[in-house]
Amino acid sequence: MTPEKITSILGDEAQDLLTYRCTKVPKERLHLPSADFLDRHFVFSNRTPQTLRSLSQLYNHGRLAGTGYVSILPIDQGIEHSGGASFAANPMYFDPENIVKLAIEGGCNGVATTFGGLALMSRKYAHKIPFIVKINHNELLTYPNSYEQILFGTVRDAWDLGAVAVGATIYFGSADARRQITEIAAAFEEAHALGMATILWCYLRNDAFKTGGKDYHVAADLTGQANHLGVTIQADIIKQKLPENNGGYKALNIGNSSYGKLDERMYTDLATDHPIDLCRYQVLNCYSGRIGLINSGGASAGAGDLKEAVKTAVINKRAGGMGLISGRKAFQRPFEDGVSLLHTIQDVYLSNDIDVA
């Protein structure tokens, strides 16, 4: 895709997103994605040679192979959001083989989905595209609905079916967060011992984070701290929602409340309200980029999906992130359109005209 086409897709936001320069946290302070990222940041770590090989398989597959960037197809919404709600728009994805086929045709570095789906496809596809097993999920069948991530299988199961990585979600900030943190920390330790990479969905979940007419589940300061906890339990890649605002700590400390810790310089010296700066604060909290940040593509909204996908990719790349993990925008549309959307996202990372801000 040409730079002119990307500019056209971004429309009136193009100039701001493509020319902005970060001055609060300059790019020179970060460790940026590159062809030798694995050698520079993991080769002297405690990751085993088998884990390094698994990371290498992930980094060196698909259209972004050898760039240091990744494009991952995640489809676990059948459990997270119910199969009918997720796949009614495109019932072919009730069949897990079509999930794998979309990731392959879409040029992705890997496919992240459920135990059951990947287990059925293991012997046919595990050697053709890196498998990432999502080992825990929230489920919306318990009445009334609750929001707890629970394990759906073992790390050893994931290893046996040929996965190169396991993925997990922690709902940071939730009443159940401490159980999830200790559970997934142990799972990641086992995954590394078996030679697999680890990817953490660092999501926030607490009704109190919606206050004053704003949703601070997407605040840079709170999501940044979730990232910092994620890299502490040795996630090799962090998945996070793109930040949309800031000041979550401040909003939750109004009146006589006491929540967390903050320093005003978080807001004055390390970020602005610009979306690239907000995302850069997330990267900063991933050990200054030593652990790659991938942002999620978000829900499908129909006609505006292409622009939103390109916008998210541009913000992530220019902030110093490692890539995009986009599912619903791809699978909730006809197969060929989903492939095209994934390729368009990847074109942002392949473009030499879109640099780090």
Side-chain angles (χ1 to χ4, degrees), residues 179 246 259:
R179 190 268 305 171
N246 208 350
Y259 175 72

Side-chain angles (χ1 to χ4, degrees), residues 147 170-175 202-211 213-227 239-249 251-252 259 282 295-296:
Y147 296 91
I170 293 176
Y171 283 152
F172 291 103
S174 71
C202 287
Y203 286 172
L204 302 178
R205 174 75 68 173
N206 195 309
D207 288 342
F209 292 168
K210 294 182 178 180
T211 183
K214 289 188 176 181
D215 186 354
Y216 292 102
H217 286 95
V218 287
D221 54 349
L222 300 185
T223 56
Q225 181 60 20
N227 291 357
K239 177 191 177 187
Q240 184 57 266
K241 295 179 181 179
L242 198 68
E244 298 177 14
N245 53 48
N246 208 350
Y249 279 119
L252 292 166
Y259 175 72
Q282 290 183 339
N295 287 118
S296 56

Side-chain angles (χ1 to χ4, degrees), residues 57 61-62 97 100 103-104 108-111 121-131 162:
Q57 285 179 268
H61 189 87
E97 183 168 14
V100 180
I104 292 173
C108 294
N109 295 70
V111 56
M121 296 297 108
S122 176
R123 295 184 185 276
K124 186 171 183 179
Y125 291 107
H127 59 294
K128 296 179 181 178
I129 184 170
F131 279 7

